Amino acid sequence: MQCLECSAELETLDGKHLQHCCGLTLQEYAIRHHMPLDLLLSSDQINSVESINDYASVLANPSSRAQTLLSALLLAESLQQQGEFSLIENGVRRLEQLLWYLQSLRQYGFQFRQEYSYDDDSHRVIAKNRLKTPSGYLQGMTPTVLDHALFSAVLLAEVGEFHAGYVFLRLPKNALAEEYIEGLRNNFQIRCKALDAVLGPNKGPKNGPVGAREQVEKQLYRTESLQDAHRLLQLVEPELGQIPCANERFYADVPVAMISKELVFDSAHFISDHPGKCENLHGGRYNLHVKIEGRIDPLDGFVIDYGYLKSVVKHRVIDQLDHQTLNYVNCDLAWRSSTELLNVFIWEQLIDYLPGLLEVQTYETTQSYCVYRGPKLEEMQKMEENNPLKYFANQSLGKSYLRGLLDDNPAEKLKLVSD
Ligand SMILES: [Zn+2]
C-alpha cells in the first residue's frame, strides 16, 4: 500500500506512520483522500479492548487549572463511563480541542486514543477520538468552580452555542449548575435567563449512544441581553481564544446563511366584525415556514440544527395551535385571527429561543400567504408593554373617561363628557 501523503510503500498504513509522516489521524487521512476507513484498517484494530495497565499513574496533586478544566467537563456532562474507563469523546472536527484539554488532563492519567468499532446500525466501521483514563484515577474528585474564565470557556466550548449575538448554554439541572449561573450574575453582572427545560440547541448526541445525553434533564440558559453575552465573551476570551476549534465557533469570520423549516397545523377560526364568509367558523391547514439567518458553525456546518428548530417550533407554536380554534389561543387572535396577526403571535413565541429569526411565512391557502419580519429580540425587550398589537391585553384598556358612557344612568359623567 502506498501512503498518499509521503509516497512510501508500506505493508500496512497505520496511525504511527501517519503521525510521523504528516501528523494526521487515520480518520483524517481517510477523509482527506476520500476513501472508506474500513479499507485502511486491519481486523485487529477494530473493536480492540484496552487494559488499564497501559495507563500511567496519576499525579498526587493535579494543578488547579487541571481541576477547573475537569470540573467544567463534568458539569458539561462530557465525561462518560465505559467499563473501567472514563472518557471524553469528540468528533473528527474537534480533535485539536481534545488535545488542548489533554495538556492539562494528563495529570489525571488521560491519554488520547482513536478507536475503531463496527457499528451495527450503519454497517460501517466508525472512528472515535477519545481521551481516556482509568475511572479509579478520578475518584474523590469534587467539581468546583475555581477559575470562572477557564471554567466558562470550557463550558462554552462543550455545550455553548452562539446565535445572533446571544450565548446559549445547556446544563444539567443540579446544584453546581445553579451555583455557576449565580456566580456569573453576582461576580460579573452576567445575567442568564432560564428557558424551557425540554428544549436546547441539540446538535445530536455528541457523546455516547444515541439519546444517552438526552436522558438527563437539562436546563437551557440564554444570556439575558446582548450586553450580557458581550460580558460573558469578554470574560472567557483569554481562555476560549486559546482553545482550538472552539474559538472558531465564537470568533471566526464565517459565511452566513438562511435556513427554513416548514411545518403544518390544522386550525379552525372565525374573524370578528368582518362582513364576509370568514365571519363563520371554518377550518383549514396552515403551512408555516420559519426562517433563521446565522453564521454557519465551522465545526458542524450548521446555522442551527433542523431538529432543534423543529422542536422549538413544535413546542412553542404547533402544540398551541394544532387542532385548536385560533380565536381561543390568544386575545389578539380572539379578535382577528388573520394570518398577519397569527404571524405576529408566532414571532413572539419563537424569538426568545431563536434570536436569529428572520422571517415567518404562513400560508392560509396555497394562494394566500403572509410574510412577517418582526422586531429583533433586543428591540422586543425594550418594547415590553408598548406593543401596539396588544390592544386587548393592555391594562389601560377600559380606563378612558369615555367608559363612563357605558353606564346606563350616567347623569354626572355624561354631563362631563358633553361639556
Ligand atoms: Zn506517509
Side-chain angles (χ1 to χ4, degrees):
M1 183 184 291
Q2 191 182 40
C3 172
L4 297 171
E5 289 292 324
C6 69
S7 305
E9 280 297 336
L10 304 159
E11 208 160 293
T12 49
L13 183 88
D14 58 13
K16 246 191 186 80
H17 169 80
L18 290 176
Q19 201 184 325
H20 290 113
C21 107
C22 56
L24 299 183
T25 64
L26 263 180
Q27 186 187 24
E28 288 170 329
Y29 177 89
I31 291 173
R32 178 181 283 182
H33 299 289
H34 34 89
M35 55 174 62
L37 186 61
D38 316 38
L39 271 185
L40 296 171
L41 295 165
S42 57
S43 58
D44 59 332
Q45 286 174 289
I46 300 167
N47 297 333
S48 64
V49 180
E50 276 199 302
S51 154
I52 56 171
N53 296 329
D54 298 336
Y55 286 75
S57 62
V58 63
L59 279 186
N61 288 310
S63 66
S64 78
R65 190 169 177 82
Q67 281 181 56
T68 300
L69 207 148
L70 187 59
S71 295
L73 290 167
L74 282 165
L75 180 57
E77 299 196 315
S78 299
L79 257 79
Q80 44 177 312
Q81 297 301 312
Q82 192 185 69
E84 296 171 289
F85 291 97
S86 292
L87 56 93
I88 303 159
E89 201 170 274
N90 245 327
V92 57
R93 190 60 179 80
R94 294 173 185 247
L95 171 66
E96 298 273 324
Q97 183 176 330
L98 217 44
L99 296 176
W100 190 86
Y101 295 157
L102 184 58
Q103 299 175 106
S104 302
L105 293 183
R106 275 192 302 204
Q107 296 178 29
Y108 286 99
F110 279 94
Q111 293 185 31
F112 175 78
R113 296 283 186 271
Q114 184 165 92
E115 295 182 327
Y116 314 98
S117 56
Y118 179 74
D119 183 57
D120 287 335
D121 292 327
S122 59
H123 303 285
R124 285 191 307 128
V125 172
I126 52 173
K128 294 278 169 72
N129 289 332
R130 290 167 167 162
L131 301 184
K132 286 172 75 174
T133 193
S135 297
Y137 290 177
L138 304 182
Q139 265 170 16
M141 156 78 196
T142 315
T144 42
V145 187
L146 293 168
D147 168 354
H148 265 93
L150 177 62
F151 192 90
S152 301
V154 175
L155 276 187
L156 260 63
E158 289 292 303
V159 292
E161 300 271 337
F162 191 38
H163 294 294
Y166 295 81
V167 176
F168 287 78
L169 276 176
R170 197 184 213 233
L171 301 176
K173 279 190 171 180
N174 63 29
L176 181 62
E178 282 166 26
E179 184 194 322
Y180 166 70
I181 293 291
E182 273 296 300
L184 283 183
R185 180 186 295 268
N186 298 336
N187 303 323
F188 305 98
Q189 289 77 52
I190 297 165
R191 298 163 304 151
C192 290
K193 178 182 170 130
L195 298 175
D196 194 333
V198 297
L199 302 164
N202 175 24
K203 298 192 170 178
K206 191 160 64 69
N207 299 324
V210 173
R213 281 168 68 83
E214 301 314 303
Q215 284 164 13
V216 183
E217 207 181 351
K218 293 286 172 74
Q219 178 67 61
L220 177 64
Y221 292 96
R222 191 203 70 222
T223 50
E224 181 86 40
S225 68
L226 289 175
Q227 292 73 31
D228 291 300
H230 182 71
R231 280 194 286 272
L232 178 56
L233 288 174
Q234 266 191 329
L235 169 70
V236 300
E237 206 276 334
E239 294 292 349
L240 189 59
Q242 300 304 310
I243 305 180
C245 310
N247 56 12
E248 296 173 52
R249 301 178 58 222
F250 289 87
Y251 303 115
D253 232 355
V254 292
V256 167
M258 191 272 285
I259 62 158
S260 177
K261 187 85 192 168
E262 180 183 345
L263 286 100
V264 295
F265 56 94
D266 299 315
S267 303
H269 84 138
F270 56 88
I271 307 259
S272 315
D273 319 330
H274 181 62
K277 270 178 21 183
C278 284
E279 211 173 15
N280 303 326
L281 180 66
H282 60 285
R285 169 153 294 184
Y286 290 83
N287 219 309
L288 168 65
H289 298 245
V290 176
K291 301 176 186 181
I292 310 291
E293 188 175 65
R295 303 163 73 247
I296 302 177
D297 185 325
L299 300 195
D300 61 18
F302 298 155
V303 168
I304 196 166
D305 177 43
Y306 284 113
Y308 170 64
L309 177 54
K310 182 179 174 183
S311 131
V312 172
V313 179
K314 186 181 179 306
H315 282 93
R316 302 284 303 169
V317 176
I318 305 295
D319 286 355
Q320 285 196 75
L321 304 182
D322 190 38
H323 286 72
Q324 302 293 334
T325 303
L326 298 179
N327 300 63
Y328 306 134
V329 169
N330 169 277
C331 59
D332 289 308
L333 298 179
W335 168 61
R336 280 281 155 104
S337 45
S338 61
T339 46
E340 292 86 334
L341 293 192
L342 190 56
N343 274 352
V344 175
F345 170 76
I346 292 170
W347 186 276
E348 289 178 1
Q349 298 304 303
L350 296 178
I351 192 72
D352 255 328
Y353 292 81
L354 303 167
L357 191 57
L358 180 72
E359 194 172 284
V360 171
Q361 186 173 9
T362 304
Y363 286 78
E364 188 167 350
T365 68
T366 48
Q367 297 87 24
S368 316
Y369 68 91
C370 167
V371 178
Y372 176 64
R373 290 183 175 209
K376 293 284 167 207
L377 178 55
E378 192 187 14
E379 296 161 25
M380 293 281 281
Q381 287 169 339
K382 286 181 196 148
M383 282 161 69
E384 289 184 26
E385 291 295 305
N386 299 325
N387 187 341
L389 280 162
K390 295 231 161 82
Y391 179 80
F392 293 99
N394 197 318
Q395 288 305 306
S396 65
L397 181 66
K399 304 289 192 293
S400 107
Y401 74 97
L402 288 170
R403 298 292 166 135
L405 294 169
L406 292 171
D407 203 319
D408 273 347
N409 189 15
E412 284 307 302
K413 290 173 183 164
L414 254 182
K415 188 169 171 293
L416 279 171
V417 172
S418 55
D419 288 347

